[in-house]
Every structure is written in structure tokens, then in C-alpha cells.
């Protein structure tokens, strides 16, 4: 007779650093997700490099729940925030309205993988544990902590859909947005993918790739091939993009060294240079079990269509080669549709303590969800580059 799932204890523990939990205990829960962004290595690199800390406005408050044998049965990556930067789910207008009305929006609690607009598990329960029981314990602990710390709200950003719906059933406010993802429809080559597109899009993509690659050498690096020289070059690209787009990049140089030391097998770094010269541009991807995640890009020399080549077309080629079902190319960018990345729903869930803020936000989110659904449908119908969808 097969034993059923193991139960959990009612008490939830709070940890001010992920190192207090330990890699074995954390990854006993998180490894089964196949998601590098909630792995112990990734989250601990953020803390060890100083990118995530109280002084940067991301104070760790990770939660654990124990099983009946006093082993970690579930974990929740949680942070006390003093601002709304680095989240990619924008609540600045909520904060402004609340503070104009005399409220105090910060601090708030944020459940996420910092600086990563990537869908994944947020209430992370060990595979042999009753999932609903583990989720309930973690969510209850987060809400209790929110009350005890005097935080205005709890925000769970980019959860997988089933956890999002589960949280909605338990009274959290549901928000929906969209990104642009590429899906592998059984392609064996990049030409197979092109064959699924309209003739005009095939022609345009071939021209963009030809122009982007002209006079350049493109290299893809992973594992032991990554060196500190490569990270030096990429950090310069990252800082250039960060400085132009949002003024204050979130990641520092030590983060990339630690990433190369501890997660090299999960890294796909694509760099471009003129033969014999220094690298001029690069795109950083992380590899999950079922997805290639495009995260950062930058350049120090402009070249036509190079952004599309390194970030979108190279990502598709490598996903096909690796047999990965999809590519997530980051937040925003309607221009991705023409490159084969179609609208895809992403989610967040929100608990707001004060009814004077919670009720208008709930009404707003109801209208916003309907608008997002309509926009996704329109964009797919009107702009999809695929022959069968036009």
C-alpha cells in the first residue's frame, strides 16, 4: 500500500538569509521545479553579491515550513521592500494614491525572484508533501508576518497559473499582464520554424539575420568555456543598457562572477565581435528544464538588427537544438511578435491590508484583466507571423 503525502507542522519560520536554510533543504523543495530562478544558487548569489540586502531595499524574510519529521517541507522566497523597483509588476500608482490619502505603503512584502520577470513556483513545496497543506501554511505565515511587521501589503509576482488561481480562491487580488514567448512546435531546425511563418516574415527574418551577422563572429558560451574576461565584457554591455534604460542597474560585477562559478551549466552567454577584435555586444540567457530564459542584453557598438539576432533568433536556435519547449525573452516588447514571440499571460496576486486601498485596487484589477485578455487576443489575431494564425 502506497503512503499518502506527508503533512506539515503549523509553525512557519522566518529567515533573514537563505544561508540560514541551507542548500540541501532549499533545493529539496525547489529542484523539482527545474527553475533556475528559485534555486538556492541563484537566490544566494543575489544575497552574497550584495544585490539583495536591506540596504538595497530587498531585505530577505524567507519562510520555511517543516514536515512531521522536522525537515524543511516548503519554502517561500520573500523580501521586505522599501520601494517598488526591480519587480516588473508596477504598483507605483497604488503607492502614490495611498500616501496622498495619508497611508504608508512601504514597507511591503514581496514574494518573487528578485529582478526576474520570469514565471515560476512561489509557494514551493517538497514533492512528497501535501501541496495544498504546504501552500496554506506558507501563505498563512506570509500574511501573519505582514501583520506583525506593519507592512501594507503582500505581493506574489510571476507565479505559475495554478498557484495564482489557488491564491485567488483564498481572497488575494488577481492581476494579469502579458509577455511575449516563443513556443517550440516540434521544430528540428531554425528553417523548420521559418517554414511555419508567412512568406513576408520569412524573407524579413532572413534579411535581418544576414545583415546582423555581416562582418561579425557570434559565439555561444556555457559551462567551463565561460571566463572572467567574458563576464568583464558582458558587464560593460549590461551597465550601458541599464544606464540608458533605467539609470540604476540592479546587478553588480560580483554577481556575474558568482553566476559563472556556481551556475555555469545553466548559463548561455551569446557574444558578438568583429574577427580579431573585442566583443561588442552580448545576451545572457539562463537554461531551465523546459525553457530558455533571455534575461539581459547590451552593446557598446551599434550594428543593424544585432539585438534581434542575439536576443531572439539565437535564443530560438539554441532552444531548438536543446529540445526546449519555449523561450521567455523578458518583459515588454511588442516588436517580438514579428519575430515569432506571441502574447502569453503572466500573473501576480496581491493582499492589501487597508480596505480603503484594497477595494479600489480590486475594481481596477477586474477591468485591467479584461483589457489584457482583449489585447492579447487582438495582437495574436492581427499581428501573428504564423501562416495558420493569420
Amino acid at each position: 500500500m502506497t503512503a499518502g503525502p506527508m503533512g506539515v507542522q503549523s509553525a512557519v519560520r522566518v529567515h533573514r538569509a537563505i544561508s540560514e536554510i541551507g542548500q540541501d533543504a532549499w533545493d529539496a523543495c525547489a529542484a523539482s521545479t527545474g527553475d533556475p530562478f528559485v534555486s538556492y544558487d541563484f537566490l544566494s548569489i543575489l544575497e552574497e553579491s550584495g544585490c539583495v540586502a536591506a540596504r538595497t531595499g530587498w531585505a530577505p524574510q524567507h519562510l520555511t515550513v517543516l514536515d512531521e519529521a522536522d525537515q524543511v517541507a516548503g519554502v517561500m522566497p520573500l523580501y521586505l521592500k522599501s520601494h517598488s523597483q526591480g519587480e516588473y509588476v508596477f504598483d507605483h500608482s497604488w503607492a502614490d494614491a495611498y500616501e496622498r490619502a495619508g497611508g504608508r505603503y512601504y514597507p511591503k512584502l514581496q514574494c518573487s525572484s528578485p529582478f526576474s520577470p520570469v514565471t515560476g513556483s512561489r509557494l514551493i513545496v517538497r514533492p512528497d508533501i501535501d501541496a495544498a497543506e504546504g501552500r496554506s501554511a506558507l501563505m498563512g505565515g506570509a500574511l501573519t508576518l505582514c501583520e506583525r511587521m506593519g507592512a501594507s501589503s503582500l505581493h506574489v509576482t510571476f507565479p505559475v497559473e495554478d498557484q495564482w488561481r489557488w491564491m485567488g480562491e483564498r481572497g488575494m487580488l488577481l492581476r494579469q499582464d502579458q509577455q511575449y514567448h516563443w513556443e517550440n512546435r516540434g521544430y528540428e531546425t531554425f528553417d523548420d520554424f521559418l517554414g511555419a511563418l508567412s512568406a513576408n516574415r520569412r524573407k524579413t527574418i532572413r534579411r535581418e539575420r544576414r545583415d546582423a551577422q555581416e562582418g561579425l563572429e557570434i559565439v555561444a558560451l556555457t559551462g567551463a568555456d565561460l571566463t572572467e574576461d567574458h563576464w568583464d565584457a558582458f558587464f560593460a554591455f549590461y551597465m550601458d543598457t541599464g544606464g540608458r534604460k533605467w539609470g540604476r542597474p540592479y546587478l553588480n560585477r560580483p554577481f556575474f562572477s558568482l553566476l559563472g562559478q556556481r551556475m555555469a551549466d545553466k548559463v548561455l552567454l551569446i557574444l558578438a565581435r568583429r574577427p580579431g577584435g573585442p566583443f561588442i555586444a552580448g545576451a545572457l540567457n539562463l537554461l531551465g528544464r523546459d525553457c530558455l530564459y533571455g534575461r539581459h542584453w547590451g552593446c557598446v557598438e551599434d550594428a543593424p538588427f544585432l539585438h534581434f539576432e542575439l536576443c531572439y533568433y539565437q535564443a530560438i536556435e539554441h532552444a531548438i537544438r536543446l529540445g526546449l519547449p519555449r523561450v521567455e525573452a523578458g518583459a515588454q516588447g511588442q516588436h517580438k511578435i514579428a519575430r515569432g514571440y506571441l502574447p502569453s499571460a503572466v500573473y501576480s496576486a496581491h493582499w492589501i491590508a487597508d480596505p480603503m486601498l484594497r477595494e479600489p485596487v480590486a475594481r481596477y484589477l477586474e477591468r485591467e484583466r479584461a483589457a489584457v485578455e482583449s489585447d492579447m487576443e487582438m495582437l495574436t489575431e492581427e499581428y501573428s507571423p504564423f501562416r495558420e494564425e493569420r
Side-chain angles (χ1 to χ4, degrees):
M1 185 174 179
T2 303
M6 188 179 296
V8 300
Q9 300 180 27
S10 59
V12 175
R13 299 181 179 181
V14 182
H15 305 267
R16 305 296 190 249
I18 197 171
S19 60
E20 295 178 5
I21 302 168
Q23 182 159 13
D24 289 346
W26 185 279
D27 281 344
C29 303
S32 62
T33 68
D35 177 358
F37 295 94
V38 295
S39 69
Y40 180 90
D41 279 334
F42 186 79
L43 296 175
S44 66
I45 287 169
L46 286 170
E47 293 183 24
E48 189 173 331
S49 63
C51 299
V52 162
R55 64 178 179 78
T56 67
W58 289 80
Q61 309 287 323
H62 306 305
L63 301 187
T64 59
V65 61
L66 303 183
D67 64 20
E68 297 155 354
D70 291 333
Q71 301 300 306
V72 172
V75 296
M76 184 176 184
L78 191 63
Y79 304 88
L80 188 68
K81 294 292 305 296
S82 60
H83 53 70
S84 292
Q85 303 301 317
E87 298 168 6
Y88 300 91
V89 175
F90 303 110
D91 61 350
H92 302 89
S93 61
W94 305 355
D96 291 345
Y98 193 50
E99 293 182 357
R100 284 199 306 270
R104 187 171 69 103
Y105 194 74
Y106 303 105
K108 65 177 187 177
L109 283 174
Q110 181 83 18
C111 173
S112 67
S113 179
F115 322 125
S116 304
V118 171
T119 294
S121 183
R122 297 294 178 257
L123 306 172
I124 309 171
V125 179
R126 215 174 64 213
D128 61 329
I129 298 296
D130 183 279
E133 192 174 340
R135 290 177 184 178
S136 295
L138 290 167
M139 183 57 65
L143 293 174
T144 298
L145 182 64
C146 198
E147 182 180 358
R148 289 180 178 175
M149 301 189 83
S152 71
S153 48
L154 167 68
H155 308 265
V156 182
T157 49
F158 298 99
V160 291
E161 184 178 0
D162 74 304
Q163 292 186 10
W164 178 71
R165 295 192 181 280
W166 182 90
M167 287 182 277
E169 292 167 358
R170 282 148 186 83
M172 294 191 72
L173 305 182
L174 298 183
R175 191 173 199 181
Q176 182 174 330
D177 202 349
Q178 62 179 306
Q179 291 181 351
Y180 302 93
H181 299 167
W182 177 84
E183 291 186 7
N184 188 344
R185 306 179 182 187
Y187 309 124
E188 295 186 2
T189 66
F190 192 88
D191 280 341
D192 289 343
F193 158 62
L194 289 181
L197 305 181
S198 68
N200 285 341
R201 288 313 310 164
R202 284 198 301 274
K203 182 178 179 180
T204 298
I205 289 175
R206 287 189 174 119
R207 176 177 55 81
E208 288 180 352
R209 298 205 74 185
R210 182 179 65 250
D211 291 352
Q213 294 176 14
E214 186 175 1
L216 292 178
E217 175 190 8
I218 296 174
V219 296
L221 303 163
T222 190
D225 292 334
L226 292 161
T227 70
E228 286 298 298
D229 288 342
H230 296 132
W231 289 123
D232 283 340
F234 183 75
F235 186 65
F237 310 149
Y238 170 76
M239 291 297 290
D240 180 76
T241 298
R244 285 186 287 108
K245 279 194 171 183
W246 56 79
R248 181 183 167 188
Y250 302 124
L251 303 174
N252 57 25
R253 180 62 181 84
F255 168 86
F256 293 100
S257 288
L258 291 170
L259 189 69
Q261 292 167 22
R262 299 182 192 170
M263 297 183 67
D265 61 329
K266 302 295 184 185
V267 170
L268 177 65
L269 183 63
I270 301 173
L271 299 173
R273 64 185 169 193
R274 306 208 177 274
F279 291 111
I280 63 168
L284 173 63
N285 307 273
L286 291 188
L287 302 172
R289 183 169 54 212
D290 58 3
C291 186
L292 186 153
Y293 302 94
R295 286 305 305 116
H296 301 288
W297 135 273
C299 65
V300 293
E301 179 182 327
D302 289 331
F305 307 116
L306 189 56
H307 177 217
F308 298 157
E309 173 64 22
L310 297 193
C311 295
Y312 307 144
Y313 302 142
Q314 287 285 327
I316 290 171
E317 278 204 342
H318 286 281
I320 292 172
R321 177 179 62 82
L322 295 169
L324 296 174
R326 71 184 191 280
V327 177
E328 294 189 14
Q332 302 175 340
Q334 191 172 320
H335 61 276
K336 296 171 186 172
I337 297 176
R339 279 91 202 166
Y341 293 74
L342 296 183
S344 182
V346 292
Y347 307 103
S348 60
H350 309 266
W351 181 84
I352 298 173
D354 190 339
M356 293 186 66
L357 178 61
R358 181 173 65 246
E359 291 170 8
V361 167
R363 292 192 297 269
Y364 167 76
L365 292 181
E366 185 174 356
R367 296 192 301 270
E368 185 187 50
R369 287 195 302 273
V372 168
E373 288 280 2
S374 177
D375 190 50
M376 288 175 58
E377 184 177 350
M378 180 277 294
L379 288 171
T380 300
E381 289 180 355
E382 296 294 326
Y383 298 106
S384 171
F386 292 92
R387 285 183 289 118
E388 65 271 24
E389 293 175 357
R390 293 188 63 85

